[in-house]
Each structure stands twice: as C-alpha cells, then as structure tokens.
Amino acid sequence: MDVDKINLNLVKFKKGYGKNINVFINNKKIIIKTPIIKSLNGIESNGKSKYFLRLDMNEHSKLVSFLKRIDCLTRSDDCISYLGNDDLKYINCFYYNNNTWKVKIPFKYGRFNIDIIDKEGNKLTTDQINQDNNMICHIELSNIWNFNNSYGCIWNLKKIELQN
C-alpha cells in the first residue's frame, strides 16, 4: 500500500497479545511498500537473535511524513486508553537525528521469515542483502508493544525486492 493512499482517520486499535495493541485499517494490518530505498548497514543484529535493517530515509520525505503521523496517532488518547497508563514513554522506531527507520526482520526457529526476490522474481537469500543494495521493502505495522513503562510501534519486514 502506498503511504499516500492510507487514511489514518480509519485506524482502529484492538487489544492484542499480552499488553500489546494491534492496529488495523478496515480490519487489515497496515502494510506499506516503500519506494526504492537503501539499507545503511545491511542486516544487523542485537546479538540476541533479533535482526533488523536500518533504512536510509534522507530522500523519502513522504515516508518520513507518514511515520511522523503514525507517531502522533500512537500518542493519541485512543491509543493511550488501550495502554491503560498515560505515564508511559513512547519509543520511536524512526530516528529523527539521523533520518533512519529501524525495521525488524522476523526470525524464528533459526531462520529469517521474509521473502527476498530480485527484479525478475527469483528467490534470494539474506546473504545477498548489503548496504549497497537498492531495494523496495514491504513493511507491516505488526503491533504497538508495551513493556517496562514504555511503548512503541513494531514494524516487521515482510518482503524485500532487490533492485540491483
């Protein structure tokens, strides 16, 4: 879905697993398709079986604007009421100071759970992702997490289309 076509006035929050909140538009999760974008470092890890990409947002003002609107939405009274505590600290996934967007790469049972293809639709492996790649990413707003007096959006990478 193109960010220009997402009407955030239609967003609905629903209780999710544990303290998490699910976010829907017309009973569907928000999945966006980025323009051609670069990863800053390729696949990174926190050392604890959690993997992510940091996407360079310097040339993507529309996407940055959309993420800022999502930030505002998740700080709204509607969202806070689901969290049940208005003293929580919001943690961004978009880092304004260096214009990067951190998206999670689902990893379970020792493998990545994303589709990676080239321009012709051929399947690729995560070994072929590096900081020099131009890519189009399909990214889902998985949920809003709530833990340890903090909360924020989890954006999961669903698919990567390598362009070079």
Side-chain angles (χ1 to χ4, degrees), residues 6-13 22-26 30 70 73 78 141:
I6 298 174
N7 183 350
L8 293 178
N9 293 325
L10 301 176
V11 165
K12 300 287 183 212
F13 299 104
N22 292 320
V23 183
F24 297 98
I25 293 180
N26 296 329
I30 298 172
I70 289 286
L73 186 66
D78 287 346
L141 176 51

Side-chain angles (χ1 to χ4, degrees), residues 146-160:
N146 177 2
F147 181 74
N148 243 5
N149 292 324
S150 300
Y151 74 105
C153 295
I154 294 179
W155 293 94
N156 277 337
L157 197 55
K158 302 301 274 180
K159 180 178 178 182
I160 296 173

Side-chain angles (χ1 to χ4, degrees), residues 4-40:
D4 290 339
K5 296 177 181 166
I6 298 174
N7 183 350
L8 293 178
N9 293 325
L10 301 176
V11 165
K12 300 287 183 212
F13 299 104
K14 294 181 183 173
K15 279 286 189 189
Y17 178 76
K19 294 181 179 180
N20 294 343
I21 298 170
N22 292 320
V23 183
F24 297 98
I25 293 180
N26 296 329
N27 292 320
K28 295 180 183 174
K29 294 234 179 187
I30 298 172
I31 299 176
I32 62 170
K33 182 178 176 181
T34 68
I36 295 174
I37 198 164
K38 284 195 180 245
S39 166
L40 293 176

Side-chain angles (χ1 to χ4, degrees), residues 88-122:
L88 298 174
K89 178 183 177 193
Y90 182 72
I91 307 291
N92 290 321
C93 62
F94 176 67
Y95 300 97
Y96 297 96
N97 59 341
N98 62 4
N99 228 17
T100 62
W101 185 18
K102 183 178 175 182
V103 294
K104 183 178 173 185
I105 304 173
F107 185 83
K108 200 170 188 179
Y109 305 118
R111 65 181 186 90
F112 293 102
N113 296 315
I114 60 170
D115 292 324
I116 305 167
I117 59 172
D118 63 14
K119 281 183 175 179
E120 290 79 35
N122 300 311

Side-chain angles (χ1 to χ4, degrees), residues 124-160:
L124 303 173
T125 66
T126 54
D127 295 339
Q128 294 165 289
I129 297 173
N130 60 54
Q131 68 189 33
D132 297 325
N133 292 127
N134 288 316
M135 58 183 80
I136 295 172
C137 298
H138 298 252
I139 305 169
E140 175 186 70
L141 176 51
S142 175
N143 63 42
I144 298 173
W145 59 269
N146 177 2
F147 181 74
N148 243 5
N149 292 324
S150 300
Y151 74 105
C153 295
I154 294 179
W155 293 94
N156 277 337
L157 197 55
K158 302 301 274 180
K159 180 178 178 182
I160 296 173

